[in-house]
Amino acid sequence: VTLHELQLLRPALSTHLVPSGEAAKAPAVVERLWSELEIGRDGWIVGFGGGSTTDVAGFVAATHLRGVRWVAVPTTLVGMVDAAIGGKTGINTAEGKNLVGAFHFPQQVFVDPSFLATLPDEERQAGMAEVVKTGLLAGSELWELPEVEMIRACAAFKASVVLADPYEREGRRTILNLGHTFAHALEAGSGYELRHGDAVALGLLAALRLSGRSTDVVEELLAPEPVRADRDRAWQALLRDKKGELNLVLLGDEGGYLSPVPEADVRRALDELIAD
Ligand SMILES: NC(=O)c1ccc[n+]([C@@H]2O[C@H](COP(=O)([O-])OP(=O)(O)OC[C@H]3O[C@@H](n4cnc5c(N)ncnc54)[C@H](O)[C@@H]3O)[C@@H](O)[C@H]2O)c1
Ligand SMILES: [Zn+2]
């Protein structure tokens, strides 16, 4: 069913475009959507696009009229294996990524891998970073599976972790942030020029190094290269991301776990990801 056909069926359906990429996750976009939407409390929002789109659509759904129902239809690999799953919605502010948001679970997530047919290779590669993250946490080489099974396995793993700690209150959900403290710091340090998945690939490298584990899988599958970023800005962003305590998700034989790491080691690991 095309959007046009849907519109014929349901004249009440309206479509609202958001900018492509990270630019969608901006307060101004949210404000525009709040004013454009003409739905009541019984209305629904469908977030159709990559993780940037579903993050902002979900946040608008969480806040419009104090919350309306929504459905996520991810169209990127990042979205299918990660961003559209788990109820975290949010936007960026001048201070950093995902600093404003809400837990607001979609009623449903429709994952149709055929949308990936048009996805550029570099976006697919970015998605593989989240797949590798998931496989490392699950203790299973999920990246070896055929695409459809790989997506299903990653989505199922994330859903199982989320369901055990939906609002990240008990810390169990935190393991999904493997590599992400560094990734968010690099994204901020690059002025958000860096793709999230590419930042995650580098973040995994740092997390595995600090865990004393092999980085072979990350290097073979993702081949991350140090990036240009402002070291101090990245470091400040990392401290803000941690909100004070330098507890990082590390990888052990039993999967991910939260552990305090000395500040100097964290700083050194971050610096190794940045090109001179
Ligand atoms: N909420 C969460 O739990 C969670 C988890 C992981 C990531 N995220 C967020 O997701 C965002 C990254 O998502 P992303 O990697 O999907 O990037 P994205 O949404 O920015 O999309 C990347 C690019 O792909 C294009 N695109 C989307 N679908 C396409 C398709 N089928 N064919 C061709 N092009 C297509 C988009 O227009 C965009 O230019 C980040 O902001 C990250 O913070 C959120
Ligand atoms: Zn991620």
Side-chain angles (χ1 to χ4, degrees):
V1 184
T2 65
L3 275 177
H4 179 67
E5 285 166 326
L6 267 179
Q7 246 152 354
L8 293 177
L9 288 170
R10 288 266 332 258
L13 189 80
S14 65
T15 52
H16 307 266
L17 291 177
V18 298
S20 151
E22 207 61 35
K25 293 174 58 171
V29 173
V30 173
E31 225 170 330
R32 170 169 62 81
L33 294 172
W34 282 333
S35 74
E36 280 180 9
L37 287 171
E38 290 177 358
I39 53 174
R41 271 246 157 109
D42 56 348
W44 291 63
I45 292 174
V46 179
F48 179 74
S52 304
T53 306
T54 50
D55 270 12
V56 74
F59 182 65
V60 169
T63 47
H64 187 66
L65 306 177
R66 294 201 184 86
V68 296
R69 285 170 291 182
W70 77 292
V71 169
V73 187
T75 61
T76 61
L77 187 54
V78 169
M80 292 178 193
V81 301
D82 197 344
I85 309 221
K88 276 193 185 176
T89 73
I91 57 169
N92 308 324
T93 66
E95 285 69 41
K97 243 182 94 84
N98 300 332
L99 287 180
V100 171
F103 287 97
H104 189 55
F105 286 80
Q107 301 293 310
Q108 277 187 319
V109 182
F110 288 105
V111 176
D112 181 349
S114 68
F115 284 127
L116 300 179
T118 53
L119 195 69
D121 284 346
E122 56 276 17
E123 295 297 341
R124 183 179 297 264
Q125 189 66 7
M128 284 309 292
E130 304 286 11
V131 170
V132 169
K133 176 197 81 174
T134 309
L136 288 170
L137 289 171
S140 167
E141 297 179 347
L142 303 181
W143 51 83
E144 301 282 355
L145 295 170
E147 187 170 83
V148 173
E149 280 100 285
M150 177 184 86
I151 292 170
R152 188 180 284 122
C154 288
F157 179 81
K158 176 157 184 189
S160 71
V161 173
V162 166
L163 287 173
D165 180 18
Y167 299 98
E168 211 166 73
R169 288 199 183 119
E170 287 142 41
R172 296 193 55 185
R173 191 180 166 147
T174 316
I175 62 149
L176 295 170
N177 287 331
L178 183 68
H180 277 60
T181 296
F182 294 101
H184 292 156
L186 292 172
E187 287 176 83
S190 74
Y192 297 104
E193 292 292 309
L194 189 60
R195 206 175 271 112
H196 178 71
D198 295 341
V200 170
L202 283 162
L204 290 175
L205 214 52
L208 289 171
R209 284 174 181 155
L210 288 171
S211 308
R213 296 182 81 88
S214 164
T215 55
D216 288 356
V217 169
V218 172
E219 274 166 309
E220 278 160 31
L221 278 128
L222 308 174
E225 293 287 344
V227 286
R228 299 175 73 95
D230 182 320
R231 290 174 191 274
D232 289 327
R233 212 174 141 198
W235 179 244
Q236 290 311 319
L238 186 146
L239 294 178
R240 192 177 289 118
D241 197 64
K242 295 317 293 175
K243 295 153 192 105
E245 282 166 76
L246 274 180
N247 286 322
L248 294 189
V249 182
L250 300 181
L251 192 71
D253 289 337
E254 310 289 310
Y257 65 98
L258 208 55
S259 168
V261 180
E263 196 170 305
D265 294 354
V266 179
R267 177 86 208 223
R268 195 173 321 113
L270 177 66
D271 277 337
E272 279 174 13
L273 307 175
I274 299 175
D276 289 315

